[in-house]
Amino acid sequence: MTTTAPASATKGASLRRSLGLWAIVGLGLGYMTPTVVFDTFGIVSDETKGAVPAAYLVALVVMLFTAVSYGKMAGAIPSAGSAYTYVRESIHPNLGFMVGWTSLIDYVLLPMVNCLIIRLYLEQVFPAVPSWIWVVLYCAGVTTLIYFTMRGTSNVNMILLVFAIVVMAVFVTMVVVQLANGAGDGTVASVKPFFHDGVTLGAVLTGATVVCFSFIGFDAVTMYAEEAKTPRVMPRAILLTVLIGGAIFLVAAYFAQLRFPTNAPFGEFTDDPLPQIGLIVGGPVFQAIFVSAGFAATLASGLASHASVSRMLLVMGRNNVLPRRFFGHIDGKTQTPTFNIILVGVISLLAATFSLELISAFINFGALIAFTFVNISVIAWFAIRQGRRHTAKDIVRFIVLPGIGMLLTGILWVNLHADALIGGIVWAVVGFAYLLFLTRGFRRPVAAFDENQPVTGFNKAV
């Protein structure tokens, strides 16, 4: 059995253990993009009939069970990996490949969804400008930047994160004052955002499948396992990322729902009402600040996701999972995987036509598959491989809890947008056919494509 090695293993070095607990939590929260709660607010409010916080509460419960499973697997396999690493090591490499292939949807579409959110911001602020212009400018700018350099720091991420959270705190304060003066529902304490006449469990579950998109990123902290000061902090970091992120989403959604019981104030901009929320709550000046916070958080996430998927495609090319000549190429001058970077930029141009609801559903398809199999991995690794199933404590920890997590993520998965289910299943079928080709009908082992897997000839400047 193999485990994932550090990216620098080919040079006999190791990743520097310099990240403490809160640095890792900050990276996870930054990847989650806290302001996304306002981007999807209109969509979820419409789906749930005005019960956005209820959808977030359901999603948070599901994510907590899954976070516990991620923590267990990060402790058992302390390598810079993800869901497919855990499935590959605990169950079978071929199944790990399929989970990884399905998760590839997330990686490829996340840069596009960030572009889409930026487009929705700018077309509201500058309605006279054709929206496709913003998409082209964004894709050109981000692609060009990453084309020449893929460097970034956790310090920049933390600055952007703190800025976004401070602006959100100002928003909540302003809304509380307005509610006390009779705006919206005219109260700061109500169960209406969670339950009222017309709200059904099915509608809340459908809304929860949308807001799962908000939590994507908590699992990304597992990639810092080899850079944590001690591997023991990883389970806590994962759980704290979900808890703090979920608390931010819940508080913001609760007060936003009280202030905006219906989508009527947003007019035609329910797809992404963040700019309208800022305008109505604080006027043009606060709108500019609010949009700036959302813009900064989304841009940071866009840069990170674009660079990440380009690197993952590079590893897949170098390990002959994808055609090496194209995907394994590194430019001699820029020392970046230029073909991959341009490809991701071209795919992101589709943000000019797709809706946020549909793209987030496609992303959630891959994420929920990954989350489900991480829960299964806990059972496979601890209860089956290690035989830890003979005491009540072990049965609860390694069978019952991950079993509940698996069931809950499965429920959300079947409640996804129908188009996302169809498209995701087609993608999985293509992946299975490709797996048959790579393994010559399962007659030889499949190559790994963990984005942190060592790559022959990989230049550390990338």
Side-chain angles (χ1 to χ4, degrees):
M1 182 182 301
T2 60
T3 56
T4 304
S8 56
T10 56
K11 294 184 179 295
S14 61
L15 296 172
R16 182 183 178 188
R17 291 196 174 275
S18 59
L19 298 178
L21 173 65
W22 292 108
I24 297 173
V25 171
L27 287 165
L29 291 174
Y31 204 92
M32 287 170 70
T33 319
T35 55
V36 76
V37 63
F38 302 112
D39 296 316
T40 58
F41 181 83
I43 295 170
V44 182
S45 184
D46 183 58
E47 291 280 2
T48 61
K49 310 302 179 187
V52 177
Y56 270 103
L57 185 60
V58 170
L60 176 59
V61 171
V62 175
M63 293 303 108
L64 281 173
F65 279 98
T66 302
V68 171
S69 292
Y70 265 99
K72 287 185 173 68
M73 294 308 299
I77 306 175
S79 61
S82 189
Y84 37 82
T85 301
Y86 304 146
V87 175
R88 186 175 68 238
E89 299 297 331
S90 64
I91 304 176
H92 195 277
N94 289 340
L95 185 59
F97 176 92
M98 287 303 301
V99 171
W101 177 269
T102 307
S103 300
L104 192 59
I105 293 180
D106 304 352
Y107 283 91
V108 172
L109 294 186
L110 272 174
M112 184 169 76
V113 83
N114 284 298
C115 176
L116 196 156
I117 290 173
I118 295 294
R119 185 204 90 194
L120 293 172
Y121 289 166
L122 294 175
E123 67 184 13
Q124 292 182 54
V125 178
F126 305 100
V129 180
S131 59
W132 65 265
I133 291 179
W134 300 124
V135 173
V136 171
L137 290 176
Y138 172 89
C139 291
V142 169
T143 302
T144 300
L145 178 62
I146 300 174
Y147 186 99
F148 291 106
T149 177
M150 292 176 70
R151 296 185 186 278
T153 67
S154 63
N155 292 333
V156 173
N157 170 80
M158 192 65 75
I159 292 170
L160 293 171
L161 175 64
V162 170
F163 173 58
I165 292 176
V166 168
V167 173
M168 292 175 72
V170 172
F171 163 81
V172 169
T173 302
M174 295 172 70
V175 167
V176 167
V177 172
Q178 293 175 10
L179 290 171
N181 290 328
D185 278 338
T187 179
V188 296
S190 174
V191 297
K192 188 178 176 182
F194 294 95
F195 178 78
H196 57 265
D197 290 341
V199 176
T200 64
L201 178 60
V204 171
L205 287 175
T206 301
T209 65
V210 178
V211 302
C212 275
F213 168 73
S214 305
F215 286 89
I216 290 177
F218 85 85
D219 57 316
V221 302
T222 58
M223 75 175 66
Y224 305 112
E226 293 172 8
E227 295 169 270
K229 290 181 178 179
T230 169
R232 290 195 300 269
V233 307
M234 292 309 301
R236 279 189 296 158
I238 294 169
L239 193 60
L240 281 172
T241 300
V242 173
L243 285 171
I244 296 173
I248 292 171
F249 292 143
L250 270 175
V251 171
Y254 174 78
F255 285 105
Q257 192 71 83
L258 285 176
R259 181 62 180 83
F260 301 101
T262 71
N263 284 339
F266 309 141
E268 61 181 302
F269 299 114
T270 56
D271 258 12
D272 191 340
L274 183 146
Q276 298 304 309
I277 290 174
L279 179 64
I280 296 168
V281 169
V285 174
F286 184 71
Q287 181 192 40
I289 297 172
F290 206 48
V291 171
S292 296
F295 194 98
T298 305
L299 180 60
S301 179
L303 287 167
S305 58
H306 194 133
S308 178
V309 70
S310 299
R311 188 181 190 279
M312 183 177 186
L313 293 172
L314 171 67
V315 175
M316 293 174 71
R318 285 297 185 86
N319 288 341
N320 291 311
V321 177
L322 290 175
R324 183 186 182 98
R325 185 178 296 274
F326 182 93
F327 292 96
H329 170 78
I330 294 180
D331 186 87
K333 294 182 179 179
T334 64
Q335 296 183 316
T336 57
T338 50
F339 291 171
N340 297 337
I341 293 168
I342 293 171
L343 175 63
V344 175
V346 171
I347 293 173
S348 297
L349 289 172
L350 295 174
T353 57
F354 281 94
S355 70
L356 180 59
E357 181 179 11
L358 183 58
I359 294 303
S360 62
F362 275 115
I363 291 172
N364 287 338
F365 177 92
L368 288 171
I369 290 292
F371 294 165
T372 299
F373 275 94
V374 168
N375 285 301
I376 295 174
S377 294
V378 172
I379 299 173
W381 182 268
F382 292 98
I384 297 176
R385 284 185 178 271
Q386 297 188 356
R388 300 179 65 176
R389 56 182 184 273
H390 302 297
T391 67
K393 182 179 179 181
D394 281 349
I395 290 173
V396 170
R397 291 178 63 196
F398 304 126
I399 297 178
V400 176
L401 292 181
I404 294 173
M406 178 180 63
L407 176 65
L408 293 176
T409 53
I411 290 173
L412 291 186
W413 185 82
V414 298
N415 280 278
L416 279 172
H417 194 291
D419 290 341
L421 282 173
I422 295 171
I425 291 171
V426 169
W427 177 255
V429 170
V430 171
F432 184 75
Y434 189 48
L435 175 63
L436 287 174
F437 169 77
L438 289 176
T439 60
R440 299 297 187 265
F442 302 123
R443 289 194 296 270
R444 69 182 191 186
V446 64
F449 61 91
D450 191 319
E451 64 173 314
N452 294 282
Q453 194 85 357
V455 185
T456 304
F458 189 84
N459 192 310
K460 66 180 181 180
V462 175

